[in-house]
Structure formats: C-alpha cells, structure tokens
Amino acid sequence: MKKKATIYDIAKELKITAATVSRALNNNPKISEKTRKLVLETATKLNYKQNRLALALKSGKSKNVGVVVPFINKNFFASVIRGIEDELYPKGFHVIISQTHEDKDREKKIIQNLINAQVDGILLSTSFTNSNKEELRKELKKSIPFIFFDRVLKYENISTITINDYKGGFDATEHLIKQGCKRIAHFSVNQDIILYKNRFNGYKDALKKHGLPFKNEYVIYLKSDMEAGKEAAKKLMKLPVPPDAIFSSTDNGILGAVKYLQSKSIKIPEDFCVIGFSNEPFTQFLEPAISSVDQSPVEMGKMAAQVFLEQIENDQTIMVQKDVILPTTLIVRKSSSKLK
Amino acid sequence: MKKKATIYDIAKELKITAATVSRALNNNPKISEKTRKLVLETATKLNYKQNRLALALKSGKSKNVGVVVPFINKNFFASVIRGIEDELYPKGFHVIISQTHEDKDREKKIIQNLINAQVDGILLSTSFTNSNKEELRKELKKSIPFIFFDRVLKYENISTITINDYKGGFDATEHLIKQGCKRIAHFSVNQDIILYKNRFNGYKDALKKHGLPFKNEYVIYLKSDMEAGKEAAKKLMKLPVPPDAIFSSTDNGILGAVKYLQSKSIKIPEDFCVIGFSNEPFTQFLEPAISSVDQSPVEMGKMAAQVFLEQIENDQTIMVQKDVILPTTLIVRKSSSKLK
DNA sequence: TTGTAGGCGTTATCAA
DNA sequence: TTGATAACGCCTACAA
C-alpha cells in the first residue's frame, strides 16, 4: 500500500526538477529527447500516474460531468446515459450519475453537490414541476453549462434536448384513425411534465384534423405502471359508449390495458387497437406485439453530450442556447394493425 | 459568468483570515459565535460553495467511486448501479460510471483513468476472461479497494459479490425435474465467465441427483440474444430425441426458444417447459409468463457498496477480503408449471 | 533546454 | 480565539 508516485519522485530520481518532468510528460517541445526518454522510463518504472485532481484544481476543469435522472434503472434513462457516456468517454470526460428519486429537495441538493464537486457541466432530466421553476433558477445561474433532456424546463440560455412529443402523439393517433378506429381514448400522466402535455396535444389535434370528437371521459390520467393501466382500461370499458382504441403516453400503462382487455376476451387488434409510447423492450416480445413510439434514447444522450461539448468549447463567447428536437419514429406492430 | 467565491473572498469581506473562515465553515469548536455567524452570513451572501476538488487534493480522498460495467443500458447492470448509488449517495460519495463495451483493452484503460482521477474505490463487473487475469493483476495492486460483482475474477485480497449461481442452476433444473420433465436441455454462454460455468454445474448436479443422464448434445453455447435462442431451439428440436425442457442461463436465450417453439405450435408448458435466468422484466409480461431465477441486482449493488464502505473505514488495518454470495430466488411462472 | 516560483482552494499545525 | 504558513500535485510564466 505504498504511496503514489508524483512528478517530484521522478525528478528526485533523475536529479532534475519537477517542471522538467512535467514538460516531458506533456510533450512540451522545449525539451531534449534524452530527458524526455529518461523521464518516460522512470515514470513507468515508478508506476507514475497523473493526478487528475491536481490538474483539475489548477486548470479549473475537472473533466467530470454530472448526469441527473429520476432513476437509473429505467430503460429509457439507462439508454440516455449510455449515449452520453459513449460520447463523452472518448473526449476524456467522466460521467457522474445521481438519482433524484423524483424528490425535488433531493434534486436541488444533488445539483449543489455536483457544483461543489466542480463538474464541468450538468445534464439533467428534471423531477421539478413548473411550480419549482423559480427556485431552481438560482442554482442554474452558475458558470457551467446546464443541459436539460427529455423532461425539460425552459429557461433563458439553457439548452434543451427533447423529442417531438407533439408529433409522436399526433402520429400515433392518426395511425389509429387510419386503421379505422373511431373512438380513441388516451392515457396521460402528470400534466406538469410538459412532454405529457405535448403528447396529449398531438392526440387532440389528430382527432380534430380527422373530424373526430374529443371526449373528456376518454382521457385518463394515471401513474406509469401496469396496475394503473388495468384500472384505467376497466374504467373506460364501463362507459356507456366504450372506446375502440387507446393511445397511451406510456408503455407500462398500455401493458396493463392489454392485460385487462385480454382477460375480458377482447381481441387485439381485431376489436380494439392500442399503441404505447417509448418503445420499451418488452413491447416487441408481447403477444400481440405492441405498437409504440420510439424515442431513440441513446441518440438523445449523444445529442445532449454533443451540445455540452459545443458549449464547453465556446466558453470564451456567450453561452448560446440551443433547443434540439429529435424526431420520433412510429413503430407499428400487431396491436394496432387492424387492416391487412 | 462571474468567478466562484472562495474562502478568501469571505475572509477579505470580513477582514479576517481564510483559516478562520475555514474553521467557521467546518464547525470547529475553537471559534467565537460572532465570527461563525458572520462567516455563515457572508458565505450565503457571496453564494460560496466549498470546492470539493481542493479538499480532495488536500485530504487524498476524492469521495468518488468508479463503477465499471460492460454496458449500462442493460437492466441487470442498471439495477446494480441503482443499488450502489442509493447506498453511496447518503454517505457523500459520487458514482462515476464507465462502460467497457466488453472490450478488454478499453476496460484496462478505464481502470487506469479512474485511478488517475483518484477515485476512492472501484466496483466492477469484468469483461476479462481468466486468460487476462495476470494482466489485470498489476492494475489491482493499488492502494484503493477493488470490488468485483457478478462477473468476478478471484484474486488474493480482492472482495467479490456474487449470487449463488450454482444453486440457481441447481434449483431451476430440479424444479423442471419435479414437474416431470425427463430430457432437460441447457443453454449456456462463454465458459470463461465463471458464473455461467457455475450455473452449468448446478444443472449437471441436479440431473445426477435425480438419476437423469447428462447428454452433451443437450447443451448449447450461445450468445445472449433472442435470435441465437431461436437457432439453438431449432437445433435441439431436430435431434433424434429432442428434449422436453430447457433451462437457459439467460432470459434472452429462452425468449428466442419460446418464440421458436410457439412458431412450431409446441405448447408451453403442456408439451415443453422452459426456465430462464435473471428475471428480466419482460419475462413476467409474456404469454406464457416465463419462469426465471431472480438475482436481486439492486441488493447486489447495495451489498457491493457496503463492502466498499467497510474497506474504506478500516483503512488503517489490513485490507480484508470478503466474498459475499447472495441467494437466488426461483420465480415459478406458467412456462414451467406443468403440474396443477 | 532547464530551473525557480507562484498559484489553484482547502485544511492543519504552530504561534501569537 | 485568531493569524501565518505549509502542504496536497500539477502547470506555467519568467528567468537563467
């Protein structure tokens, strides 16, 4: 358990000074080949490793970025992080992850902690609702780039990466209409999170475009889990005029609905069409396979990382806001394929 | 984009010295109430944040830990990381994640990078095979704790967290036998990864215990994906005497097998029983729901974190090796429920 | 080409 | 109770 070697150890060994060692290690041109070679040899001999902490303190750049998500063990977020890490690792950045547990206070604390740790930027998908927007603003008035992805809040000078939730909702709904569905219900979630509102608006506008009436009783707000989906489907099917299709803003919700409908021997897609959102892995394995809207989460992560890198590079200039909207892809599977 | 405040800024503001400010901020008893209050007020006024980097350099403790996995967007690893972060965050640690992409060279480099970044410990699930054991040893001879989880290599003084893969394999196989299956096949993976070998051995011993013959042609080595599972099942069913059950070391493998069997109108579980390993979320949603062996990945992460914390605390004493073996849980679902 | 010296932000030791 | 100073490991003017 011996102490780690420093440039001073190398210097002492060679009877030169630490500055020279530093230069040799950093390929500084102003140094003789002999010394460079000698230093390099001694470095490996002593098993020297550069202390990134010292460098970070000196340079003011930690080469760490913070990524903040509600939970990491959710396929969507894990995939975004995959994209971020894939993109940032080759540039020498380390990715620090933190989970908010959907807790506002925890989120705030996490952001402060990351700032204290001198991360070079923070990429986050918020648990905050708009009501907390003002409170969060203070934290964001820092000298590092913040980038929101997926669950975003709009602030001046803060970049965002989202998917086109509106179009995703619109396309999914229009697809159901084109399959001949006439009474399309919608599962939504907390409207404080803007992306759910956007999907909802896409749904409404698709109905309008095709002359279908919007009915309040066909819209249900539920948590994103299977049990809630079952309950919601049950409620819908008890209506005097039940729907003949559901567009759900979450795959978990539609999963519950499918299970409920199957338990009532309602045939999908013949009698009832469904489509979810997120294209979770399980949707393709079910029988029937469930149509869904793909969000390409890995791409989202890469894009967030790229925007971050851009902002880092232009640090001389003004921090420029950039709002990237990624396209969605409608994945049509059996659950909504009524027509041949 | 103003510069961050330091304790010197506070000191200057109050016409005292930085040392005093430091003491006030750290609740050092040797300080007057007045000064403490004044410092605290000025700190918030100037929006002072402690620079963890400087502290880390000074103390030699970065309060960061590295977590190394093949890919983060795989449910199992994401869940382990969830457990790790949940456990470590309250203790003030940040979790840095890196992905090896199953690439040995990349893994080695990642470990070096993390050490350079002065992490206080590294928790990893390796991509190395035993053939690379010696090469990796050098990296591990450092002054920080290393902890292997799930995919482990055994070294002296390095702790490991695994599940009881042997018993998981044994229980799964025995369960199939008790359901009346007589010709049980096995899907395995790369035998260089010890956990697959252990599951395999559990399978063999269960057969032996119940007097069933072990047949080499019933064992197939495949990659963990659906397509490979389909192929493997096809191969098995073309045998002169095809099996009547499969115990697979991966859920993805068994998923492919189920799809193939269903395409051939073979009834599960009536005519054929299957059981997987890992209890991936999708297994419970399929029709039929697939039996599997649960590995409680979140628990594994928590345990890995706890072992790390123990080793950090005892840093005065010898680093003591600890091999934790977590229990598996057999999850019986329809796919292997032949008996009523 | 190499050495000297200062500083990044903290804390700890010793003096006052 | 407070101040002065050194140290953590590295880099970079500036000087030699």
Side-chain angles (χ1 to χ4, degrees):
Chain A
M1 231 55 38
K2 47 197 176 286
K3 280 189 64 179
K4 290 166 188 163
T6 73
I7 52 173
Y8 282 92
D9 298 320
I10 299 177
K12 199 183 294 174
E13 184 92 0
L14 295 174
K15 299 196 191 310
I16 56 178
T17 170
T20 310
V21 175
S22 172
R23 281 186 276 256
L25 258 19
N26 290 292
N27 289 321
N28 189 312
K30 298 180 166 299
I31 199 159
S32 77
E33 260 319 307
K34 294 177 231 168
T35 1
R36 184 198 310 286
K37 230 182 122 183
L38 233 44
V39 167
L40 259 29
E41 278 169 11
T42 319
T44 48
K45 189 181 113 195
L46 297 183
N47 194 23
Y48 167 80
K49 309 265 166 158
Q50 186 188 53
N51 185 329
R52 281 180 54 157
L53 240 42
L55 183 56
L57 181 60
K58 175 85 173 116
S59 68
K61 310 255 162 249
S62 67
K63 288 290 215 165
N64 288 152
V65 304
V67 175
V68 184
V69 295
F71 293 103
I72 191 205
N73 61 335
K74 240 195 101 178
N75 180 64
F76 175 77
F77 291 119
S79 296
V80 174
I81 295 174
R82 155 124 198 215
I84 293 172
E85 209 273 337
D86 280 358
E87 195 76 15
L88 255 29
Y89 171 78
K91 307 281 184 182
F93 284 93
H94 280 159
V95 173
I96 294 176
I97 54 152
S98 303
Q99 307 177 93
T100 63
H101 294 196
E102 305 275 13
D103 175 334
K104 288 176 271 192
D105 297 328
R106 186 166 166 144
E107 174 160 318
K108 195 172 153 190
K109 222 164 203 167
I110 284 173
I111 292 175
Q112 291 171 341
N113 278 149
L114 287 171
I115 291 173
N116 294 3
Q118 310 299 116
V119 292
D120 294 340
I122 295 181
L123 317 185
L124 72 165
S125 196
T126 189
S127 298
F128 277 92
T129 59
N130 267 298
S131 52
N132 295 84
K133 217 177 144 178
E134 283 312 315
E135 198 185 345
L136 185 55
R137 162 159 298 161
K138 214 183 82 190
E139 303 307 322
L140 305 184
K141 288 283 182 201
K142 307 300 183 223
S143 48
I144 57 167
F146 274 76
I147 291 161
F148 276 100
F149 62 87
D150 195 51
R151 298 201 198 164
V152 307
L153 293 176
K154 296 277 182 187
Y155 294 95
E156 230 173 305
N157 292 332
I158 306 270
S159 294
T160 62
I161 319 288
T162 50
I163 57 161
N164 198 331
D165 289 289
Y166 172 85
K167 186 153 185 304
F170 186 93
D171 289 350
T173 309
E174 186 167 57
H175 162 68
L176 291 172
I177 294 170
K178 288 188 174 163
Q179 292 291 312
C181 302
K182 302 286 181 201
R183 300 180 306 281
I184 301 169
H186 178 50
F187 286 178
S188 190
V189 193
N190 182 355
Q191 295 290 295
D192 280 336
I193 297 177
I194 205 165
L195 62 86
Y196 290 120
K197 192 169 235 160
N198 289 339
R199 292 174 194 175
F200 184 25
N201 286 335
Y203 158 79
K204 278 200 290 195
D205 285 1
L207 292 183
K208 189 190 277 180
K209 176 183 168 191
H210 291 275
L212 291 180
F214 168 76
K215 295 192 178 180
N216 240 321
E217 66 265 32
Y218 280 178
V219 179
I220 303 197
Y221 302 94
L222 58 153
K223 279 193 308 177
S224 168
D225 70 40
M226 188 172 81
E227 285 311 317
K230 282 187 190 175
E231 282 308 308
K234 189 170 169 184
K235 203 163 144 192
L236 282 176
M237 298 314 282
K238 291 226 168 114
L239 287 175
V241 184
D244 61 0
I246 302 174
F247 158 52
S248 170
S249 271
T250 69
D251 280 335
N252 282 327
I254 210 65
L255 171 63
V258 166
K259 292 295 179 190
Y260 176 79
L261 293 168
Q262 288 178 332
S263 77
K264 294 293 170 190
S265 303
I266 294 171
K267 285 209 170 63
I268 304 171
E270 294 81 358
D271 304 334
F272 203 104
C273 289
V274 300
I275 182 166
F277 209 112
S278 286
N279 196 23
E280 292 279 342
F282 70 78
T283 54
Q284 62 180 299
F285 304 140
L286 291 183
E287 184 48 46
I290 298 181
S291 302
S292 195
V293 178
D294 188 71
Q295 330 185 53
S296 53
V298 177
E299 289 310 310
M300 179 179 283
K302 289 189 183 199
M303 185 56 70
Q306 283 166 19
V307 171
F308 160 74
L309 289 172
E310 277 176 36
Q311 304 214 343
I312 283 291
E313 279 169 21
N314 309 5
D315 59 359
Q316 304 300 49
T317 78
I318 310 107
M319 203 168 282
V320 57
Q321 183 182 349
K322 193 163 181 177
D323 291 311
V324 179
I325 300 179
L326 298 168
T328 57
T329 312
L330 184 67
I331 309 286
V332 176
R333 300 199 180 95
K334 194 171 163 192
S335 77
S336 67
S337 298
K338 207 173 186 170
L339 305 177
K340 277 286 159 183
Chain B
M1 233 50 45
K2 47 195 174 292
K3 281 189 60 182
K4 290 167 189 165
T6 74
I7 53 173
Y8 280 93
D9 298 319
I10 299 177
K12 198 184 293 174
E13 184 93 0
L14 295 175
K15 300 195 191 311
I16 57 178
T17 171
T20 309
V21 175
S22 173
R23 281 187 277 257
L25 257 20
N26 290 292
N27 289 319
N28 189 312
K30 297 182 166 300
I31 198 161
S32 77
E33 259 319 306
K34 292 177 232 169
T35 4
R36 182 197 313 285
K37 230 181 121 181
L38 233 45
V39 168
L40 260 27
E41 278 168 11
T42 318
T44 48
K45 190 180 112 195
L46 297 183
N47 194 24
Y48 167 80
K49 309 265 167 161
Q50 186 189 51
N51 185 330
R52 281 180 54 158
L53 240 42
L55 182 56
L57 180 60
K58 178 86 172 108
S59 68
K61 311 252 160 250
S62 67
K63 287 290 214 166
N64 287 152
V65 304
V67 175
V68 184
V69 294
F71 292 104
I72 191 203
N73 62 335
K74 239 195 99 178
N75 181 63
F76 175 77
F77 291 119
S79 297
V80 174
I81 296 174
R82 154 124 198 213
I84 292 173
E85 209 272 338
D86 281 357
E87 195 75 15
L88 255 29
Y89 171 77
K91 308 281 185 181
F93 284 93
H94 280 160
V95 173
I96 295 176
I97 54 152
S98 302
Q99 307 177 93
T100 63
H101 293 197
E102 305 275 13
D103 175 335
K104 288 176 271 192
D105 297 328
R106 185 164 166 146
E107 173 161 316
K108 196 173 153 188
K109 222 166 204 166
I110 284 173
I111 292 174
Q112 291 170 341
N113 278 150
L114 287 171
I115 291 173
N116 294 3
Q118 311 298 117
V119 293
D120 294 340
I122 296 181
L123 317 184
L124 73 165
S125 197
T126 188
S127 298
F128 278 93
T129 60
N130 267 298
S131 52
N132 296 84
K133 218 179 143 178
E134 283 312 314
E135 200 185 344
L136 185 54
R137 162 159 299 161
K138 213 185 82 189
E139 303 306 322
L140 304 185
K141 289 283 182 198
K142 306 299 185 226
S143 49
I144 57 166
F146 274 76
I147 291 161
F148 277 101
F149 61 87
D150 195 50
R151 297 199 197 166
V152 306
L153 293 176
K154 296 278 180 185
Y155 295 94
E156 231 173 303
N157 292 332
I158 306 270
S159 294
T160 63
I161 320 287
T162 51
I163 56 161
N164 198 331
D165 288 290
Y166 172 83
K167 187 153 185 305
F170 186 94
D171 290 349
T173 310
E174 186 166 57
H175 161 68
L176 291 172
I177 295 170
K178 288 190 173 162
Q179 293 290 311
C181 303
K182 302 285 180 202
R183 300 180 306 282
I184 302 168
H186 178 50
F187 284 179
S188 191
V189 193
N190 182 354
Q191 295 288 296
D192 281 336
I193 297 178
I194 204 166
L195 60 85
Y196 291 121
K197 194 169 234 161
N198 289 339
R199 291 174 195 175
F200 184 24
N201 287 336
Y203 158 78
K204 278 200 289 195
D205 285 0
L207 291 182
K208 189 190 279 181
K209 175 182 168 191
H210 291 275
L212 292 180
F214 168 77
K215 296 191 179 180
N216 241 320
E217 66 264 34
Y218 280 178
V219 178
I220 303 197
Y221 301 94
L222 58 152
K223 278 193 312 181
S224 168
D225 69 38
M226 188 172 80
E227 285 311 316
K230 281 187 189 173
E231 282 309 308
K234 189 170 169 184
K235 204 164 144 192
L236 282 177
M237 298 315 281
K238 291 222 167 118
L239 287 175
V241 185
D244 60 2
I246 302 172
F247 158 53
S248 170
S249 272
T250 70
D251 280 333
N252 282 327
I254 209 64
L255 171 63
V258 166
K259 292 294 179 192
Y260 176 78
L261 293 169
Q262 287 179 334
S263 78
K264 294 295 170 189
S265 302
I266 295 171
K267 285 210 168 64
I268 304 172
E270 294 80 359
D271 305 334
F272 203 103
C273 289
V274 300
I275 181 165
F277 210 111
S278 286
N279 196 23
E280 292 279 343
F282 69 77
T283 54
Q284 61 180 300
F285 303 141
L286 291 182
E287 183 50 44
I290 298 182
S291 302
S292 196
V293 178
D294 188 71
Q295 332 186 52
S296 53
V298 177
E299 288 311 310
M300 179 179 281
K302 289 191 181 194
M303 184 57 70
Q306 282 166 20
V307 171
F308 161 73
L309 289 171
E310 278 176 34
Q311 304 214 342
I312 284 291
E313 280 170 21
N314 309 5
D315 59 0
Q316 303 302 49
T317 79
I318 312 107
M319 206 167 282
V320 58
Q321 183 183 348
K322 193 162 181 176
D323 292 311
V324 179
I325 300 179
L326 297 169
T328 57
T329 311
L330 184 68
I331 310 284
V332 176
R333 298 199 181 95
K334 194 171 164 191
S335 78
S336 68
S337 299
K338 208 173 186 170
L339 306 177
K340 276 288 159 182

